[in-house]
């Protein structure tokens, strides 16, 4: 039975596929619980397809490796009135090959002077600064060769506290008395550290940072590390000089500073980390929920990864003007106000859940992303997909009463399936050349499909081996960089399963399969015929190169609908599976827990046999939700298949009203969530 021959496309799919401004089209049509991702990530598929149809990708070369940083000594003096800043960089560098120039990233910054002091040698002043504005680079030219060895690079520079919400920028806020003021804030991911100071702004070029901020003495000044010295600034008594402890070796995109007026609430996590939540002045109360989440979350991750949080403190701060939902700067996580603050009197349950998920997401990055960092932006999907999965694991641990995994299925999972069934979807893993492609490529597919395939992988491996593999990965690559393949290798070693082969089929090709299942009873055995083909919202494709996936398939029976009776790996177009000891009147269901990233098309008899489990609610809510979602997606079909259509409708009709109400409710909540997250004031 080919349900999909000439299937009509659903209304939402039609709307999503319309070649209009994606942000205008996508926002009202498919809001989800993960609404925060919409603004930044929801450039949606149309922008990606534009990118695919544009062959002229910007040429791009990485920074040369002949000079690299070991430590950045960085002093910054922002002016919150003129919106400028002065900076002084004194970087300890290694020259690996004699050269008379140093190439660094630099954007919207004016270099005043630059010089190089070889260890034990005389200062060499740079004779020219050659800006390559398009490439956001500067070449410092020296009159003589900088010899192989250690040295110190000194640069004095000035920049603007811009109003673009990237780099080092100004954020407007109102004091409780109604006065407008400005804070100075950073947002560096993916490639905007270069707007705050000249640097080697690539994730694999890690170094330590010694940061000093010169700020008005009545302002809060925060950076990644704890303060270790604070003294009056000799040249101006209204200013103080705040020095922060040396950071661990880290990537530039995780550096952060915030200077402004804030209140805070503080606590200590059970593993001894000082946690503070900074709020607008007068709203400290609204930071208490996030503080509770963060203090519960840190020990959860420490235990899950078997690796302690490596910094002495973590600050979570609500920023008035913030482009993304949140940003995982190491030790100083920045949030949009709606993703951090909970008004104990007025906020609703869905806002709490959202804050819990965002906090869980950004704190997961403190290990996965910050301690071990992707080698290049190509692997950003893994960073984000992983955090988007484990945030649910963490919230489920901290707040089991939320039943958060059901929301994962109704939000991320079904949304990813809907989008990825379109012809203009794209693989999760896309080669990123020029970093300007990062914002264009990372969308709901990277986040929601990324999280869904990690969830499937976790289920395929099993929690114990998954944790073993994660621990090995974090220990092996801590303070270094790694690629997607490195993670697969660690998980492969821990589990003895073919992780790379399985995962490549999900990350390197777009779309997903529909699993077609039929059954026959042979004595006390049930023989299942299982096959796969690509699921397309626009109808089946009959091309010969139909892609295949390596599909982890779990099977449960009516004996215990919540327990997997059997697991198989479908690594070819079709196979036969023998389920032993099953009575003829017992039903079989594929994909218990709705964990596998595929749709299922049961034979008529199998589908009808599921009716009792649906009616008496022995099938779990996520399974009824998954089934309902699959059936909806299969319902668009020709009139001559009316009988089949009727059968599907009968099963759909049997799914009790509360499930439907839940779906409608989820939809309504997601619209609300969108408003919460992105429509300020
Ligand atoms: N690291 C990202 C934010 C980011 C990604 C900024 C790529 C620039 C380029 C952060 O961890 C994140 O994923 N933020 C989400 C919210 C989160 C809860 C899903 C966002 O901002 O949409
Ligand atoms: Zn993230």
């Amino acid at each position: 039975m080919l349900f999909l021959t000439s299937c009509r496309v659903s209304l939402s799919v039609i709307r999503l596929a319309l070649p209009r401004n994606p942000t205008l089209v996508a926002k009202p049509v498919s809001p989800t619980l993960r609404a925060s991702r919409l603004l930044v990530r929801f450039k949606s598929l149309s922008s990606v397809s534009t990118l695919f149809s544009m062959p002229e990708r910007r040429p791009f070369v990485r920074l040369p490796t002949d000079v690299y940083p070991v430590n950045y000594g960085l002093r910054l003096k922002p002016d919150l009135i003129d919106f400028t800043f002065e900076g002084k960089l004194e970087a300890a560098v290694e020259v690996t090959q004699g050269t008379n120039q140093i190439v660094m990233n630099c954007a919207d910054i004016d270099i005043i002077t630059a010089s190089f002091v070889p260890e034990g040698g005389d200062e060499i002043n740079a004779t020219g600064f050659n800006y390559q504005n398009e490439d956001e680079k500067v070449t410092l030219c020296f009159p003589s060769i900088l010899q192989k060895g250690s040295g110190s690079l000194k640069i004095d520079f000035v920049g603007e506290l811009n109003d673009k919400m990237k780099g080092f920028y100004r954020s407007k806020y109102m004091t409780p008395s109604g006065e407008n003021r400005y804070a100075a804030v950073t947002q560096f991911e993916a490639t905007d550290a270069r707007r705050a100071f000249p640097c080697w702004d690539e994730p694999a070029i890690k170094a330590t940072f010694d940061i000093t901020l010169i700020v008005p003495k009545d302002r809060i000044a925060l950076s990644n590390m704890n303060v270790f010295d604070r003294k009056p600034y000799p040249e101006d008594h209204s200013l103080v000089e705040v020095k922060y402890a040396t950071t661990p070796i880290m990537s530039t995109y995780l550096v952060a500073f915030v200077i402004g007026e804030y209140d805070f609430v503080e606590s200590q996590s059970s593993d001894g980390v000082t946690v503070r939540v900074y709020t607008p002045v007068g709203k400290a109360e609204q930071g208490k929920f996030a503080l509770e989440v963060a203090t519960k979350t840190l020990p959860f991750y420490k235990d899950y990864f078997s690796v302690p949080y490596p910094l002495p403190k973590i600050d979570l701060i609500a920023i008035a003007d913030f482009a993304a939902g949140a940003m995982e700067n190491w030790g100083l996580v920045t949030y949009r106000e709606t993703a951090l603050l909970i008004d104990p009197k007025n906020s609703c349950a869905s806002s709490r859940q959202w804050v819990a998920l965002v906090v869980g997401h950004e704190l997961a990055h403190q290990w996965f992303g910050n301690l071990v960092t992707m080698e290049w932006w190509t692997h950003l999907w893994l960073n984000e997909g992983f955090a988007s999965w484990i945030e649910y694991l963490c919230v489920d641990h901290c707040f089991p009463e939320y039943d958060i995994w059901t929301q994962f299925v109704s939000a991320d999972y079904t949304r990813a399936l809907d989008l990825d069934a379109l012809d203009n979807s794209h693989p999760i893993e896309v080669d990123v050349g020029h970093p300007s492609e990062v914002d264009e490529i990372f969308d709901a597919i990277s986040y929601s499909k990324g999280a869904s395939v990690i969830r499937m992988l976790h289920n395929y491996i099993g929690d114990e081996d998954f944790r073993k593999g994660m621990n090995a990965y974090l220990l092996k690559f801590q303070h270094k960089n790694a690629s997607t393949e490195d993670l697969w290798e660690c998980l492969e070693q821990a589990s003895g399963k073919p992780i790379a082969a399985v995962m490549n089929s999900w990350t390197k090709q777009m779309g997903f399969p529909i699993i077609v299942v039929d059954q026959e009873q042979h004595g006390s055995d049930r023989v299942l015929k299982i096959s796969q083909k690509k699921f397309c919202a626009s109808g089946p494709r009959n091309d010969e190169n139909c892609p295949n996936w390596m599909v982890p398939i779990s099977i449960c029976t009516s004996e215990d609908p919540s327990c997997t009776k059997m697991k198989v790996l479908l690594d070819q177009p079709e196979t036969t599976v023998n389920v032993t000891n099953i009575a003829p009147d017992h039903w079989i269901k594929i994909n218990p827990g709705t964990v596998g990233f595929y749709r299922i098309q049961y034979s008529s008899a199998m589908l009808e046999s599921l009716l009792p489990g649906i009616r008496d609610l022995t099938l779990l809510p996520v399974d009824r939700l998954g089934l309902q979602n699959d059936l909806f997606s299969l319902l668009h079909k020709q009139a001559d298949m009316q009988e089949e259509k009727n059968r599907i409708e009968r099963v759909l009709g049997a799914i009790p009203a509360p499930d439907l109400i839940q779906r409608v409710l989820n939809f309504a909540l997601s619209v609300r969530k969108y408003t919460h997250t992105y429509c300020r004031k």
Side-chain angles (χ1 to χ4, degrees), residues 561-616:
S562 60
C563 176
T564 295
K565 185 177 167 92
M566 203 174 162
K567 282 186 173 186
V568 286
L569 183 66
L570 176 65
D571 54 3
Q572 47 204 311
E574 54 184 65
T575 191
T576 307
V577 175
N578 201 11
V579 185
T580 54
N581 288 327
I582 171 161
D585 60 337
H586 279 189
W587 51 255
I588 278 191
K589 185 188 176 291
I590 309 293
N591 203 12
T594 315
V595 182
F597 194 73
Y598 45 81
R599 296 214 178 275
I600 304 166
Q601 180 185 313
Y602 292 103
S603 68
S604 304
M606 282 188 88
L607 191 57
E608 293 230 34
S609 73
L610 291 174
L611 271 168
I614 294 168
R615 289 208 174 103
D616 66 15

Side-chain angles (χ1 to χ4, degrees), residues 77 87 117 155 223-224 234 248 271 311 434 509 680:
K77 184 164 163 274
V117 189
I155 304 179
S223 187
N224 305 82
D271 51 339
L311 309 186
H434 198 286
Q509 53 188 4
R680 280 206 310 129

Side-chain angles (χ1 to χ4, degrees), residues 452-470:
S452 300
V453 299
I454 300 285
R455 177 165 169 259
M456 175 166 70
L457 174 69
H458 172 260
N459 186 264
Y460 169 60
I461 294 180
D463 192 60
E464 203 183 319
D465 285 347
F466 188 87
R467 282 169 76 151
K468 247 193 253 163
M470 283 308 305

Side-chain angles (χ1 to χ4, degrees), residues 34 36-37 40-41 187 189 324-328 358 361-362 365 380 384 447:
R34 310 318 316 271
S36 160
R37 285 174 190 148
V40 204
R41 317 279 124 235
Q187 168 59 41
E189 193 178 16
M327 175 64 212
E328 69 267 27
V358 182
H361 179 108
E362 304 309 335
H365 278 313
L380 184 62
E384 296 307 343
Y447 275 78

